[in-house]
Amino acid sequence: MLIAQNLSKHYPSAQGWIKSLDEMDLEVKAGEFLAIRGHSGSGKTTLLLTLGAMLRPSSGRVVFEGQDMYQCSSQQRAAWRAEQIGFVFQMFHLMPYLSVLDNLCLHGRAKAGSTQRADTLLDTLNLKHRVNHLPHQLSAGERQRVAMARAMMASPKLILADEPTGNLDPRHATEVCEHLRKFRDSGGTVILVTHGELASSFADRTIFLEQGRLLETVEGHAQTAP
Amino acid sequence: MGGTQEKPRNLMLGLIFKEMWFRKMQALLCLCGLAAVVSLMTAYLTTEKAADRETKRITRDLGFNLRILPKETDMDLYWFQGFSDQTMPQSLVEKLTQSEGVFMTYNHLMASLRQKISLGNGSAILVGVAPTVTSADKKKRPMGFSLEPGTAHLGYQLGLRLGLKAGDILQVKGLSLKVARVMVEYGNEEDVFLYTTLQDAQTVTGLEGQINEIKAIDCLCLTADQDPVSILRAELEKRLPEAKVIQDRVQADARARQRQMVEKKFSFLSPFLMVAGAVWVAVFAMLNVRERRSEIGIWRALGKSGGMVATLFLGKALLLGGVGALMGFAVGNQLAQAVGPEIFQITAKAIQTEWSYLFWALVWTPLLSAMAAFIPAMIAASQDPAYSLRES
């Protein structure tokens, strides 16, 4: 489904060039739940953003269902993100001035049925009572569930989650991971960046990064970092 | 939530208002900033106009600085007695005013006839004056005082010598004139003047249809070192070869310097303040976009187009710019109306609301605000969303 070939990303800095990704190869199959782990600065988030067509790599390519994403225009990538990918961020990145319902409907502006879809998702994620609340009126766990619901609004094939449990207590973190697992069970693909063992315990495969390189792949539930 | 109804959500204007309502203080500060710029500009431009008007009025009130005389005037005699020994037809005034473009050089043309006459136990200078003629386009107010036929205005010394006061009757060579007033002491030759209408003076002197001087103000406003006299003379030679012109150089020079000083001051200050105002507006708009860079990243991450993001930011900039312009104009105008009359006392009543400034404020403030918001918004929108998101 998603193939990264020879993927590198370099950033200039005062100390010279930083290699955030270094000739990385990766293949993600449809319906897979992949966890990406590694120390801070190992390139996890850079890899996730690059796979999600949000950050152009310095070299290499990202192919989604046969289409090289970075050969497309910025507008085409935006359209692809809107239709195929749902994002969940550690900092939630909800629109602070929009209600829960409006945040969900950002995906489906003017699309018929978007409110019903949001209704169903909020019901599933136990957020019915928060529909007209603003993000700052919600708990961290609720915010992350709203972000999850938003990611699922367009019925994407792929969810990219960047440390979605980083700001949550274990109970809420488990809840979020369970929802991601359910998404996987319904045929979706999940790529999750995480520091913790809890989140990766829900994954089918866990990869470990170090200095932008693939260090190790663990099939099944990875419990400890190498 | 079962009752949630399907309705258009997140329409552009709604998004703009929701964002502004959520960040009320920031929107208010931005609005106040924009209004402050516009109000300062409105107050400044209104008072600048008032200052220009006041300067023109003050310099005009310095009096006539040009004298157009019959060409054969003996200038020695002229300076000794204060008027020309020659006369010229009154119709020359009409000829001069009908000459195309004359008011670009000469203005406030006032024909007069001056003659020395015996009056009482001594002499007086009879001065018959016609109403001033000004450019019809410029709607200038006539200079000097108005005279009614059959009336006389007496110089201070003359009134004292003849023992006359307002309302008395004065006989001048068989013509009865009612004394309209005895003027205050000027401390110059005007203290022995007897002012009448031109027609009355012509009757008294038997010089019907004749004048011996046309007073005017030069509109060149050139200083002495710029040699305005040669330009004035060349102009008159073309238009009225029967006459010659002399200039009161000291007065004309003072007038020109005053007006040039005011014009130079404003020609330096106005563009400077306008640029400063434009930069101010731009800074407010840019700061607003900078604060919301991560939001641009979210919009882009969610697959919204750069055009949609730009519209969102432009819409807010246009809205704030428009409201800021309205508020700023209202405040600036009030400020000018309140302070202006204190500063510009001669032309105080002429300080009025300049509606054209409202038009320009409504055009330029939203435009500048939108332009300043558009550039950083488009830069942020054209970047990979990851860069904007990382700034949050």
Side-chain angles (χ1 to χ4, degrees):
Chain A
M1 182 199 199
L2 186 64
I3 300 167
Q5 289 178 331
N6 208 23
L7 214 54
S8 293
K9 181 66 185 177
H10 304 157
Y11 293 106
S13 77
Q15 288 74 39
W17 287 89
I18 293 172
K19 282 185 181 176
S20 192
L21 287 179
D22 193 6
E23 298 182 346
M24 170 88 69
D25 289 313
L26 181 70
E27 183 171 355
V28 183
K29 292 187 174 62
E32 186 178 10
F33 191 139
L34 174 73
I36 304 171
R37 292 181 63 182
H39 298 296
S40 292
S42 59
K44 304 183 297 293
T45 298
T46 304
L47 176 61
L48 192 80
L49 294 172
T50 309
L51 293 175
M54 293 220 290
L55 183 64
R56 180 179 286 279
S58 306
S59 63
R61 57 191 206 133
V62 175
V63 179
F64 182 85
E65 294 184 337
Q67 175 72 53
D68 187 340
M69 296 319 306
Y70 291 99
Q71 290 295 315
C72 302
S73 69
S74 159
Q75 292 291 62
Q76 284 172 315
R77 283 200 300 280
W80 177 75
R81 284 193 298 270
E83 289 165 15
Q84 311 282 4
I85 304 185
F87 287 96
V88 184
F89 302 98
Q90 182 182 3
M91 302 303 295
F92 322 122
H93 285 318
L94 299 173
M95 289 296 172
Y97 51 88
L98 296 182
S99 68
V100 167
L101 181 62
D102 284 339
N103 261 288
L104 262 63
C105 292
L106 286 179
H107 254 305
R109 187 160 71 92
K111 275 187 191 165
S114 61
T115 311
Q116 278 73 21
R117 170 84 178 139
D119 198 3
T120 308
L121 282 168
L122 292 175
D123 197 12
T124 306
L125 290 160
N126 195 25
L127 287 165
K128 274 173 74 175
H129 59 299
R130 296 297 208 180
V131 66
N132 290 318
H133 288 185
L134 293 175
H136 73 268
Q137 296 168 320
L138 308 177
S139 70
E142 285 172 328
R143 275 185 245 181
Q144 196 58 291
R145 290 196 327 261
V146 174
M148 287 275 302
R150 184 181 65 184
M152 292 183 204
M153 262 301 282
S155 304
K157 290 180 179 174
L158 173 65
I159 285 183
L160 300 178
D162 187 6
E163 303 201 32
T165 57
N167 285 326
L168 304 181
D169 58 45
R171 186 171 74 83
H172 286 116
T174 305
E175 211 173 294
V176 166
C177 289
E178 279 171 351
H179 285 299
L180 287 172
R181 185 66 176 260
K182 277 183 197 165
F183 175 74
R184 196 286 309 262
D185 292 344
S186 65
T189 305
V190 177
I191 303 176
L192 169 88
V193 164
T194 181
H195 267 303
E197 289 177 6
L198 173 73
S200 70
S201 69
F202 285 82
D204 302 316
R205 178 166 59 119
T206 300
I207 60 170
F208 291 89
L209 303 189
E210 189 173 272
Q211 293 183 334
R213 283 180 167 273
L214 187 60
L215 186 67
E216 191 183 351
T217 302
V218 177
E219 298 291 336
H221 309 318
Q223 293 300 317
T224 52
Chain B
M1 204 185 84
T4 308
Q5 289 183 344
E6 188 72 24
K7 60 178 180 180
R9 304 198 77 86
N10 299 333
L11 296 178
M12 191 60 72
L13 204 58
L15 288 175
I16 292 169
F17 278 118
K18 281 174 184 171
E19 193 275 332
M20 289 204 305
W21 180 248
F22 181 74
R23 299 191 176 102
K24 290 183 277 292
M25 278 309 293
Q26 189 227 46
L28 196 65
L29 278 175
C30 190
L31 195 62
C32 289
L34 293 172
V37 182
V38 177
S39 67
L40 283 176
M41 292 303 296
T42 304
Y44 167 77
L45 290 172
T46 305
T47 49
E48 180 197 299
K49 206 162 188 173
D52 185 50
R53 200 163 37 226
E54 186 95 343
T55 305
K56 281 180 180 164
R57 185 65 184 273
I58 289 169
T59 53
R60 196 203 76 174
D61 288 350
L62 287 172
F64 298 100
N65 56 37
L66 295 178
R67 293 175 183 195
I68 300 167
L69 305 170
K71 198 152 201 168
E72 299 77 23
T73 298
D74 179 336
M75 293 311 295
D76 283 341
L77 191 58
Y78 177 83
W79 291 119
F80 278 121
Q81 65 183 19
F83 56 89
S84 175
D85 57 324
Q86 303 293 314
T87 60
M88 54 188 173
Q90 189 180 344
S91 58
L92 289 185
V93 179
E94 198 177 344
K95 183 183 173 186
L96 185 60
T97 54
Q98 285 175 353
S99 170
E100 198 182 336
V102 68
F103 291 111
M104 301 293 285
T105 319
Y106 296 86
N107 210 343
H108 294 284
L109 299 162
M110 189 184 82
S112 68
L113 177 66
R114 290 187 188 205
Q115 294 290 314
K116 188 176 178 183
I117 58 166
S118 299
L119 198 60
N121 298 327
S123 303
I125 305 293
L126 175 66
V127 185
V129 293
T132 52
V133 183
T134 59
S135 163
D137 305 336
K138 293 182 181 175
K139 293 179 182 167
K140 287 181 182 282
R141 291 173 62 186
M143 286 178 65
F145 49 87
S146 58
L147 290 160
E148 294 296 320
T151 65
H153 290 232
L154 267 59
Y156 175 77
Q157 184 57 40
L158 195 58
L160 208 63
R161 174 156 56 86
L162 297 176
L164 294 174
K165 58 183 186 304
D168 291 344
I169 301 295
L170 172 66
Q171 292 292 330
V172 185
K173 294 193 174 178
L175 185 69
S176 289
L177 296 168
K178 186 178 179 182
V179 177
R181 66 168 176 149
V182 178
M183 296 186 294
V184 295
E185 187 175 9
Y186 287 127
N188 60 24
E189 69 274 13
E190 276 196 77
D191 288 346
V192 291
F193 279 10
L194 169 63
Y195 284 103
T196 65
T197 61
L198 179 60
Q199 201 175 357
D200 285 343
Q202 287 168 338
T203 305
V204 168
T205 56
L207 292 168
E208 275 83 2
Q210 294 293 305
I211 56 173
N212 60 1
E213 188 168 309
I214 304 169
K215 284 187 172 181
I217 291 182
D218 89 79
C219 296
L220 294 173
C221 272
L222 299 175
T223 50
D225 54 314
Q226 294 165 304
D227 196 17
V229 180
S230 61
I231 300 170
L232 291 164
R233 283 180 178 155
E235 278 278 305
L236 194 72
E237 185 63 31
K238 276 191 294 179
R239 300 173 194 279
L240 213 63
E242 304 90 334
K244 63 182 177 187
V245 63
I246 54 171
Q247 187 193 40
D248 180 337
R249 185 165 280 198
V250 174
Q251 194 193 81
D253 208 37
R255 179 172 183 269
R257 283 189 193 284
Q258 174 65 18
R259 289 182 74 152
Q260 283 183 5
M261 186 268 288
V262 171
E263 279 165 15
K264 277 179 188 167
K265 188 179 102 182
F266 286 128
S267 68
F268 162 74
L269 269 180
S270 299
F272 176 77
L273 283 177
M274 281 184 184
V275 170
V279 170
W280 194 351
V281 169
V283 165
F284 274 111
M286 286 174 80
L287 284 177
N288 182 252
V289 176
R290 259 191 88 78
E291 278 186 19
R292 295 174 65 193
R293 269 179 68 88
S294 69
E295 189 185 319
I296 295 174
I298 302 170
W299 286 114
R300 296 289 285 148
L302 293 174
K304 302 298 177 190
S305 67
M308 181 265 174
V309 174
T311 308
L312 194 62
F313 281 75
L314 281 183
K316 182 180 177 184
L318 285 170
L319 198 65
L320 286 179
V323 177
L326 278 174
M327 283 170 56
F329 175 79
V331 173
N333 186 54
Q334 283 301 311
L335 204 64
Q337 300 290 334
V339 175
E342 289 291 316
I343 306 170
F344 310 109
Q345 294 187 353
I346 301 172
T347 57
K349 285 181 183 168
I351 301 171
Q352 287 166 350
T353 303
E354 298 287 343
W355 292 106
S356 62
Y357 296 160
L358 175 61
F359 171 77
W360 290 115
L362 280 172
V363 169
W364 280 107
T365 316
L367 199 65
L368 276 170
S369 172
M371 274 166 58
F374 180 75
I375 295 165
M378 281 314 288
I379 289 171
S382 62
Q383 281 182 332
D384 279 332
Y387 291 111
S388 308
L389 283 173
R390 278 182 175 172
E391 290 187 9
S392 63

